[in-house]
Amino acid sequence: MSPIPSMSPLTPGAEADLAALRAGVDRALEVFLAERAAELDDVDAELGIQGDLVAEFVAGGKRLRPAFAYWGWRGAGGDPDDPRMMVAAASLELLQAAAIVHDDLMDASDTRRGRPSIHRQFAALHRDRGWEGAGERFGLGGALLLGDLCLCWSDEMLRKCGLPPERLLPALGYFDTMRTEVMAGQYLDLVTQSAADTTMARAMRVVRYKSAKYTIERPLHLGGALAGAGEDLLAVYSAYGLPLGEAFQLRDDVLGVFGDPAVTGKPAGDDLREGKRTALVAKALETATPAQVERFQRWFGDPELDSRGVAELREIIVSTGALAAVERLITDLTAQASQALDKAPLTADDARTALAGLARAATQRTG
Amino acid sequence: MSPIPSMSPLTPGAEADLAALRAGVDRALEVFLAERAAELDDVDAELGIQGDLVAEFVAGGKRLRPAFAYWGWRGAGGDPDDPRMMVAAASLELLQAAAIVHDDLMDASDTRRGRPSIHRQFAALHRDRGWEGAGERFGLGGALLLGDLCLCWSDEMLRKCGLPPERLLPALGYFDTMRTEVMAGQYLDLVTQSAADTTMARAMRVVRYKSAKYTIERPLHLGGALAGAGEDLLAVYSAYGLPLGEAFQLRDDVLGVFGDPAVTGKPAGDDLREGKRTALVAKALETATPAQVERFQRWFGDPELDSRGVAELREIIVSTGALAAVERLITDLTAQASQALDKAPLTADDARTALAGLARAATQRTG
């Protein structure tokens, strides 16, 4: 196992660029969504709610995918302050909004970021207006259409970023692949959650498509392609982005079971209560004794699971060696990502320290 | 009220072109979807079902939007046999597939074109595999993701049609508008179905956005723009397409209440049983006496509605004068469309007869 090289903090330049990116993304979303809201308003005043909810929803995003797209652009020599890149990066927040709104619908989640989920908000609107029929059905329709709008708007925004066709068209190719991959990953996750025979191999495939490619590798490719990056650099982005993205998701899985509620903002052992078949769980079940498997299945996915049950499941995950194995995997994958970065022919040195900093933040976080 | 001019049958040339279009659209969809299926297969064999269901679903489409896009292209001087236009036209079938799959989910419809709807097919897969959890929830997730895939694939297919950027980019602008409009129209329809106070004005707005623009005007614009049509011709397409599209939907509304089950393939008075607040119903309720309104509301939307109830509701729609008013509107709108066509600066004469033929087919059909 290799030590983790070059995990230096962000340079002041990279910090400032990241702050400028966030401001640029905010501004680009405001401008684009104001135009769309005006279009909707031309149709009927009743449509105001759709525009308002999208604007409110994207305001709360972490800008993770825009950040990777931005550093992919910078690493290929893109201008730090090009407003066209801010627009392109911001478009990924609309894709992510669509994914989350539809995901909450599939999972029947009541909340998101401490607020009611979008389908709950539409159901509440239905109730407040005293409309006829079932509010839940109205909520489903409203959220489904809002997610569809975000999906369409994300590619409209990206395409209208203002960069020339010879840069835009190859980048849109990565965008296409990214969308197909994330939906493939989501469907595979749905199957994985339904089929009881989850293997570590399939769980890792879900991690790769639903998270690693979608959150890190493809945004880097998109930004790189927009700056005219060559094949070599794009290959380095894969060599850095894929293992880092996998480590990022595995960290998420560990936090879902062992995370401190004060930091994660979620109840302790939440993923165990939900019965989420993550790579961590797949690993535990692959190495558990038949008696341990039986004990695990008895509690896993029980919505009423109490702290004693959480402790029992955690104990099995620890004693089977699954936790240690996954932590080792996180360390190895992060090291792979760092080594790829060290060898990368990046144009901007700020990009190197920024990507190293993002790697650390993604895998060493506690919430 | 004007007579309807130039409702001549299709010329043999136009008939042959339409047949070639259908074959071209079929072929383009096959090629594009085979590529996507290969991408999905690279991820996991479990994803085969997504590709298979999309291919099967689009095979049953009526090719209505591709036909209008094609004649929009021809009217602007586009080459009759350009395979790139076949690809562009075919992309609209994927957009329509997304709209239908999500619509069936919103309406909880069990069937589509005589087969189980997509969410029912995913629920059946869940049952056949003996998977864990609720099959209905799996069906929702599978269909939601399949619709999302179709939505993304439609713009990918259009963008990759092979026409040069200077033609493609303006056309994509119409495509963007079309998508936002149809989703706006669908949301407005959702509100209209929930709010009891449907006015004729709002019902006609739903007709305009959900049907007229989406099915006829915007496909014409898209095809026209791909052939480099000028503002004048695009304005003619609106003058022809909007009234025709409204007439088309109003004919649908009349058939939903008065259609012959042997021709429509749906039970008599199906829209009355579903309680669909169409323009026809809005018109009836606007002109009905309070006693008629009360009688109407007693039966309207009752899933158990029998033939006596259907007859009673039909009688109210007839005696209020709503049916005659809507038939008059269909005639007037169709005449408007025909007059616009007569004055149109179309490059190909086949396009004129084809568009006139499509107008007749859309508004005089019985099923």
Side-chain angles (χ1 to χ4, degrees):
Chain A
M1 205 172 71
S2 342
I4 306 171
S6 68
M7 284 288 139
S8 53
L10 292 185
T11 60
E15 283 279 15
D17 287 345
L18 212 52
L21 166 74
R22 282 172 199 279
V25 164
D26 288 351
R27 176 88 192 114
L29 284 168
E30 268 169 39
V31 170
F32 180 81
L33 291 175
E35 286 167 11
R36 299 291 78 68
E39 270 181 1
L40 292 178
D41 198 55
D42 279 349
V43 178
D44 195 294
E46 196 63 68
L47 290 159
I49 182 81
Q50 291 270 1
D52 291 349
L53 284 181
V54 173
E56 203 179 286
F57 193 82
V58 298
K62 285 199 288 275
R63 315 299 186 226
L64 202 54
R65 288 152 203 90
F68 282 107
Y70 177 77
W71 290 112
W73 159 269
R74 290 291 308 281
D79 173 355
D81 305 311
D82 194 326
R84 299 173 299 181
M85 182 59 211
M86 303 294 173
V87 175
S91 73
L92 297 181
E93 288 292 281
L94 284 169
L95 178 60
Q96 170 67 356
I100 295 179
V101 169
H102 282 178
D103 216 43
D104 284 346
L105 207 51
M106 285 190 260
D107 294 345
S109 305
D110 288 333
T111 58
R112 168 67 62 177
R113 296 178 193 149
R115 295 192 39 132
S117 51
I118 294 290
H119 59 275
R120 299 301 311 157
Q121 294 197 48
F122 276 111
L125 174 77
H126 187 276
R127 196 182 49 237
D128 293 348
R129 296 280 189 95
W131 280 338
E132 294 186 358
E136 201 177 322
R137 185 143 292 284
F138 185 86
L140 183 143
L144 194 71
L145 289 168
L146 184 139
D148 286 351
L149 267 180
C150 288
L151 206 48
C152 293
W153 288 352
S154 72
D155 91 80
E156 176 174 355
M157 188 173 191
L158 176 53
R159 186 157 28 75
K160 289 179 173 170
C161 72
L163 287 163
E166 66 274 18
R167 286 287 168 80
L168 193 57
L169 291 173
L172 283 164
Y174 288 102
F175 185 67
D176 288 336
T177 306
M178 176 179 177
R179 294 186 299 183
T180 296
E181 283 171 348
V182 69
M183 284 161 197
Q186 283 180 290
Y187 179 73
L188 208 56
D189 194 19
L190 205 63
V191 171
T192 305
Q193 300 307 319
S194 300
D197 57 343
T198 309
T199 59
M200 180 70 178
R202 170 158 285 163
M204 285 305 292
R205 199 168 300 147
V206 172
V207 165
R208 170 166 285 225
Y209 284 92
K210 198 180 159 178
S211 301
K213 283 175 167 285
Y214 173 61
T215 303
I216 304 189
E217 186 201 27
R218 297 307 184 187
L220 284 167
H221 285 170
L222 180 74
L226 285 171
E231 292 291 321
D232 283 0
L233 182 53
L234 295 176
V236 167
Y237 285 167
S238 294
Y240 159 85
L242 275 178
L244 177 61
E246 291 176 13
F248 167 77
Q249 183 57 48
L250 291 174
R251 170 61 59 220
D252 221 51
D253 293 350
V254 169
L255 288 171
V257 173
F258 295 96
D260 177 358
V263 187
T264 63
K266 290 182 198 165
D270 209 34
D271 281 4
L272 297 171
R273 208 167 284 110
E274 283 183 22
K276 233 166 146 181
R277 298 177 201 274
T278 60
L280 179 64
V281 167
K283 187 75 194 169
L285 290 174
E286 271 186 8
T287 40
T289 64
Q292 281 177 317
V293 171
E294 204 199 308
R295 270 202 298 148
F296 194 89
Q297 302 287 23
R298 197 182 312 148
W299 299 101
F300 185 62
D302 179 352
E304 308 293 321
L305 192 70
D306 61 11
S307 60
R308 212 173 55 93
V310 168
E312 177 143 7
L313 292 176
R314 281 179 177 168
E315 191 276 319
I316 296 171
I317 294 172
V318 172
S319 66
T320 53
L323 176 62
V326 167
E327 285 290 354
R328 223 164 26 237
L329 199 49
I330 293 174
T331 306
D332 285 352
L333 290 164
T334 311
Q336 272 180 44
S338 296
Q339 280 157 11
L341 199 58
D342 286 341
K343 285 182 289 187
L346 295 174
T347 308
D349 230 30
D350 278 348
R352 192 184 309 277
T353 61
L355 289 172
L358 288 169
R360 204 189 33 196
T363 54
Q364 296 176 19
R365 67 207 157 90
T366 54
Chain B
M1 205 172 70
S2 342
I4 305 172
S6 67
M7 283 290 137
S8 54
L10 290 186
T11 58
E15 284 279 15
D17 287 345
L18 213 51
L21 167 74
R22 282 173 200 280
V25 164
D26 287 351
R27 176 87 193 113
L29 284 169
E30 268 169 38
V31 171
F32 180 80
L33 291 176
E35 286 168 9
R36 299 290 79 67
E39 270 182 0
L40 291 179
D41 198 55
D42 279 349
V43 178
D44 195 294
E46 196 63 68
L47 290 158
I49 182 80
Q50 291 270 1
D52 290 349
L53 284 180
V54 173
E56 202 179 287
F57 193 82
V58 299
K62 285 199 289 275
R63 316 296 187 227
L64 202 54
R65 290 154 201 88
F68 283 108
Y70 176 77
W71 291 110
W73 158 270
R74 289 293 306 281
D79 173 357
D81 306 311
D82 194 325
R84 298 172 301 179
M85 183 58 212
M86 303 295 173
V87 176
S91 74
L92 297 180
E93 289 292 282
L94 284 170
L95 179 59
Q96 172 66 356
I100 294 179
V101 170
H102 282 178
D103 217 42
D104 284 345
L105 207 51
M106 285 191 261
D107 294 346
S109 305
D110 287 334
T111 58
R112 168 68 61 177
R113 297 177 192 148
R115 294 192 40 131
S117 50
I118 294 290
H119 58 275
R120 299 301 311 156
Q121 293 198 47
F122 276 110
L125 173 77
H126 186 275
R127 194 182 51 237
D128 294 347
R129 297 280 189 96
W131 281 339
E132 295 187 358
E136 202 176 320
R137 185 142 294 281
F138 185 85
L140 184 146
L144 195 78
L145 289 169
L146 184 139
D148 286 351
L149 266 180
C150 287
L151 206 49
C152 293
W153 287 352
S154 74
D155 89 74
E156 176 173 354
M157 188 174 191
L158 176 54
R159 184 157 30 74
K160 289 179 173 172
C161 71
L163 288 162
E166 66 275 17
R167 286 287 169 80
L168 192 58
L169 291 172
L172 283 164
Y174 288 102
F175 185 69
D176 289 335
T177 307
M178 175 178 179
R179 294 185 298 182
T180 296
E181 283 172 349
V182 69
M183 283 161 199
Q186 283 181 291
Y187 180 74
L188 208 57
D189 194 19
L190 205 63
V191 170
T192 304
Q193 301 306 322
S194 300
D197 59 343
T198 308
T199 61
M200 180 68 177
R202 170 158 287 163
M204 285 304 293
R205 198 167 302 147
V206 172
V207 166
R208 171 166 285 227
Y209 285 92
K210 199 180 158 178
S211 300
K213 284 176 166 284
Y214 172 61
T215 303
I216 304 188
E217 186 201 27
R218 297 307 184 187
L220 284 168
H221 284 169
L222 179 73
L226 285 171
E231 292 291 320
D232 283 2
L233 182 55
L234 295 177
V236 166
Y237 285 168
S238 294
Y240 158 85
L242 275 178
L244 176 62
E246 290 175 16
F248 167 78
Q249 182 57 48
L250 291 174
R251 172 59 59 220
D252 220 53
D253 293 350
V254 169
L255 289 172
V257 174
F258 296 95
D260 176 358
V263 186
T264 63
K266 291 182 201 167
D270 208 34
D271 282 4
L272 298 170
R273 207 167 285 111
E274 283 182 23
K276 231 164 146 183
R277 299 177 198 277
T278 61
L280 179 65
V281 167
K283 187 76 193 167
L285 290 175
E286 270 185 9
T287 42
T289 64
Q292 282 177 316
V293 170
E294 204 198 308
R295 269 202 299 147
F296 195 89
Q297 303 287 21
R298 198 181 313 146
W299 298 103
F300 185 62
D302 179 351
E304 308 293 320
L305 193 69
D306 61 11
S307 60
R308 213 173 55 90
V310 168
E312 177 142 8
L313 291 175
R314 281 178 176 168
E315 190 278 316
I316 296 171
I317 294 172
V318 172
S319 66
T320 52
L323 176 62
V326 167
E327 285 289 356
R328 227 166 20 240
L329 198 50
I330 293 175
T331 307
D332 285 353
L333 289 165
T334 311
Q336 272 180 45
S338 295
Q339 280 158 13
L341 199 56
D342 286 341
K343 287 182 291 188
L346 294 175
T347 309
D349 230 29
D350 277 348
R352 192 184 309 278
T353 60
L355 289 171
L358 287 170
R360 204 189 32 194
T363 55
Q364 295 176 20
R365 67 207 157 92
T366 54

